[in-house]
């Protein structure tokens, strides 16, 4: 009889003699016995977790970054029906059905990479939700958070531990070795554990969004780790030809650009959600079609641009005539769009301009993601006296309006950030 040890350690099985003669393909407790030809193959799994607290303790020890909130926030901002072209593409179909397939999707800032990454993750999770032995993990990388390689790897490990008992059991021995010594998990140990855990699964999908937003040392380290896992990998980033050609020369390349039909769906949804626009176009449906057509043309396949254009239209329109005038004046390039948005921000009352500028400064220079309440308190602190006045707190919806659509709040994390679609 051949004994195949479980990755976290084999348990002895008596040899010799005849046990359960004639039986095949059965289980006893946590052992499975499978007959292949004349050989009996035994897989023996480790004991179940001791208590529900074990998983939580291991997660606390890993200290992995949680990307779930970013994922949910990105997915929630997606307009229904958009992005389906991604999962229908030849590259993505190969990614889903192939083995050790790497897809590298690149696009310019504002092209919708994060939204499409979140849609891809949601698609994978739904498709493989009932598939034993298949795992989906992901990371959303942000320059403002300056993640280390250890942070990212621990984040991937944490997702596997949280969702799969086998992953949790595999990590238990390392945790119990380190716990008495109160040792944290090092980067090299985290990488080795990730390799061990991933080896337990028949298929693993890894999605990395924003690879361009970490420094080159982390980029290279992460690519080396991912390639050592023998998994399917989907990367979204701004163009990174140097790294793509060096580390993944055979990767399937996908160019990310919002399709005109997606932008049309977005414009239609904005009209439905805006009482002002809905009232204006209700008596003249042709105006809605003209609005959609012009935004499609001038946004040039960039959701960020389409969003800013719709912000301008909403601010400037109160009749069919003013709407048409706003449409004619829509900027058609990213630089022009930002200049126009900043011009509109700076044309507000002096106090509003001051608030917008201070918001931009805090978002640019705060050393970590800033929460809504933190930003409100910062704005309510006098620059002259450095004193905080609670009566000077500006409601967040007003702050967002003053910032002209350039700033948003992540619904799940309450983090304030610049828009990035």
């Amino acid at each position: 009889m051949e004994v195949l040890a479980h990755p976290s350690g084999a348990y002895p099985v008596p040899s010799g003699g005849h046990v359960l003669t004639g039986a095949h393909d059965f289980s006893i407790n946590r052992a499975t016995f499978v007959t292949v030809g004349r050989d009996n193959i035994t897989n023996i799994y480790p004991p179940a977790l001791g208590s529900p607290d074990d998983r939580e303790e291991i997660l606390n020890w890993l200290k992995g970054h949680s990307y779930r909130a970013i994922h949910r926030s990105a997915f929630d901002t997606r307009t229904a029906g958009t992005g389906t072209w991604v999962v229908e593409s030849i590259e993505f179909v190969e990614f889903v059905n192939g083995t050790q397939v790497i897809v590298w999707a690149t696009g310019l800032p504002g092209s919708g990479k994060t939204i499409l990454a979140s849609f891809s993750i949601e698609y994978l999770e739904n498709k493989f939700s009932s598939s034993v032995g298949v795992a989906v993990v992901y990371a959303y990388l942000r320059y403002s958070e300056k993640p280390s390689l250890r942070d990212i790897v621990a984040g991937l490990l944490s997702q596997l531990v949280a969702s799969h008992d086998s992953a949790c059991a595999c990590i238990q021995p390392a945790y119990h070795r380190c716990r008495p010594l109160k040792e944290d998990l090092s980067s090299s140990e985290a990488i080795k554990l990730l390799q061990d855990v991933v080896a337990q699964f028949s298929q693993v999908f890894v999605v990395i969004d924003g690879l361009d937003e970490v420094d080159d040392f982390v980029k290279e380290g992460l690519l080396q780790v991912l390639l050592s896992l023998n998994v399917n990998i989907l990367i979204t980033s701004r163009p990174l030809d140097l790294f793509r050609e060096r580390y993944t020369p055979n990767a399937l390349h996908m160019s990310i650009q919002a399709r005109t039909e997606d932008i049309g769906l977005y414009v239609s949804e904005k009209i439905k959600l805006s009482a002002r626009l809905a009232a204006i176009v209700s008596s003249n449906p042709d105006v809605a079609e003209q609005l959609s057509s012009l935004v499609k043309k001038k946004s040039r396949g960039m959701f960020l641009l389409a969003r800013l254009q719709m912000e301008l239209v909403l601010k400037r329109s109160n009749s069919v005539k003013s709407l048409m005038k706003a449409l004619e004046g829509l900027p058609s390039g990213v630089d022009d769009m930002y200049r126009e948005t900043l011009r509109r921000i700076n044309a507000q009352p002096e106090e509003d301009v001051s608030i917008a500028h201070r918001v931009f400064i805090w978002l640019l220079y705060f050393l970590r993601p800033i929460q809504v309440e933190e930003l409100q308190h910062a704005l309510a602190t006098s620059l002259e006296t450095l004193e905080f006045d609670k009566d000077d707190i500006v409601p967040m919806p007003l702050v967002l309006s003053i910032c002209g659509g350039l700033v948003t709040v992540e619904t799940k994390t309450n983090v304030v950030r610049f828009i990035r679609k």
Side-chain angles (χ1 to χ4, degrees):
M1 173 179 288
E2 179 185 359
V3 177
L4 299 184
H6 186 268
S8 59
Y11 293 82
V13 177
S15 60
H18 300 280
V19 181
L20 300 175
T21 302
H24 60 87
D25 298 354
F26 62 94
S27 299
I28 299 177
N29 195 11
R30 296 180 64 79
T32 62
F33 300 82
V34 181
T35 301
V36 179
R38 293 187 300 173
D39 295 327
N40 291 324
I41 300 176
T42 306
N43 292 287
I44 304 176
Y45 297 86
L49 300 178
S51 73
D53 293 336
D54 286 351
R55 191 188 308 274
E56 194 62 36
E57 289 178 7
I58 291 174
L59 289 172
N60 290 334
W61 173 64
L62 288 174
K63 298 177 182 177
H65 194 290
S66 175
Y67 300 107
R68 190 67 185 174
I70 299 176
H71 168 67
R72 293 309 311 167
S73 179
F75 185 74
D76 287 347
T77 60
R78 168 182 170 264
T79 300
T82 60
T84 55
W85 64 269
V86 172
V87 298
E88 295 170 353
S89 68
I90 295 173
E91 295 84 2
F92 193 85
V93 171
E94 180 66 19
F95 170 69
V96 172
N97 297 321
T99 302
Q100 297 181 35
V101 176
I102 302 173
V103 176
W104 200 314
T106 61
L108 296 175
S111 57
K113 298 184 295 293
T114 296
I115 300 297
L116 294 178
S118 68
F119 181 53
S120 300
I121 292 166
E122 202 76 9
Y123 176 89
L124 292 169
E125 290 185 332
N126 290 333
K127 181 176 179 63
F128 296 106
S129 60
S130 60
S131 299
V132 177
V134 178
V136 179
V137 292
Y138 51 85
Y140 290 87
L141 308 182
R142 298 292 178 262
Y143 69 89
S144 58
E145 298 172 0
K146 297 179 173 58
S148 66
L149 178 59
R150 189 249 178 239
D151 294 334
I152 300 168
V153 172
L156 299 176
L157 266 175
S158 295
Q159 292 172 55
L160 292 167
V161 169
S163 303
H164 302 274
D165 288 346
S166 58
C168 195
C170 184
I171 289 179
Q172 271 186 320
Y175 168 65
H176 287 300
R177 282 197 308 272
C178 295
R179 183 173 62 175
L181 303 175
K182 296 183 179 179
E183 292 180 344
D184 289 333
L185 189 67
S186 69
S187 179
S188 60
E189 289 170 333
I191 292 169
K192 180 62 170 63
L193 279 179
L194 182 61
Q195 292 168 338
D196 291 343
V197 169
V198 164
Q200 299 182 78
F201 294 87
S202 60
Q203 183 73 292
V204 175
F205 296 91
V206 181
V207 179
I208 305 294
D209 176 64
L211 184 63
D212 56 290
E213 300 212 21
V214 294
D215 64 44
D216 290 352
F217 177 78
V218 176
K219 282 189 191 76
E220 294 189 294
L222 181 56
L223 286 169
Q224 290 168 7
V225 170
L226 294 177
L227 292 174
S228 75
L229 300 177
N230 298 321
V231 298
N232 287 18
I233 306 166
L234 171 62
I235 297 170
T236 68
S237 72
R238 300 180 188 186
L240 290 175
D241 292 346
L242 175 66
F243 295 92
R244 182 165 61 89
E245 292 171 3
R246 175 178 174 80
Y247 289 98
T248 61
N250 297 319
L252 302 176
H253 181 244
M254 182 189 300
S255 178
I256 292 182
Q257 187 177 30
R259 303 296 174 93
T260 55
E261 59 267 29
D262 282 356
I263 292 178
L265 287 171
Y266 170 73
V267 172
S268 296
E269 186 68 13
K270 290 295 289 184
I271 292 174
K272 290 179 184 177
L273 295 176
S274 169
R276 177 191 292 252
L277 283 180
I280 292 172
V281 304
S282 61
S283 59
N284 193 343
D286 290 343
V287 174
E289 182 56 38
Q290 291 180 53
L291 171 59
S292 179
S293 178
L294 271 174
V295 172
K296 287 177 188 177
K297 179 180 178 181
K298 294 199 172 188
S299 62
R300 298 179 180 178
M302 299 183 69
F303 260 117
L304 176 59
L305 203 49
R307 174 171 177 169
L308 292 176
Q309 288 171 339
M310 290 303 295
E311 288 282 343
L312 283 178
V313 168
L314 282 169
K315 290 288 185 180
R316 293 177 174 179
S317 306
N318 50 37
S319 66
V320 171
K321 183 176 180 178
S322 61
L323 175 60
M324 297 307 296
K325 185 176 180 180
L327 291 177
E328 292 171 2
L330 282 178
S332 56
V334 177
D335 292 342
D336 289 342
M337 190 70 245
Y338 275 119
R339 275 193 288 270
E340 175 61 23
T341 302
L342 289 173
R343 186 199 64 75
R344 179 164 57 87
I345 290 171
N346 292 331
Q348 299 176 116
E350 183 178 346
E351 180 60 25
D352 287 359
V353 174
S354 173
I355 290 172
H357 288 181
R358 282 183 286 152
V359 169
F360 297 157
I361 290 171
W362 278 108
L363 293 184
L364 284 170
Y365 294 105
F366 209 66
L367 295 179
R368 59 172 173 76
I370 189 169
Q371 301 281 320
V372 166
E373 187 176 10
E374 292 174 326
L375 179 61
Q376 288 178 304
H377 284 203
L379 296 175
T381 300
S382 169
L383 296 177
E384 288 76 25
T385 65
L386 299 182
E387 293 181 352
F388 167 72
D389 185 349
K390 64 180 180 63
D391 293 330
D392 205 22
I393 289 178
V394 183
M396 201 60 208
L398 181 55
V399 172
L400 296 180
S401 176
I402 289 171
C403 291
L406 296 180
V407 174
T408 188
V409 175
E410 292 182 346
T411 54
K412 304 293 183 180
T413 62
N414 222 28
V415 166
V416 187
R417 59 171 176 78
F418 287 113
I419 56 170
R420 41 172 303 136
K421 292 294 183 286

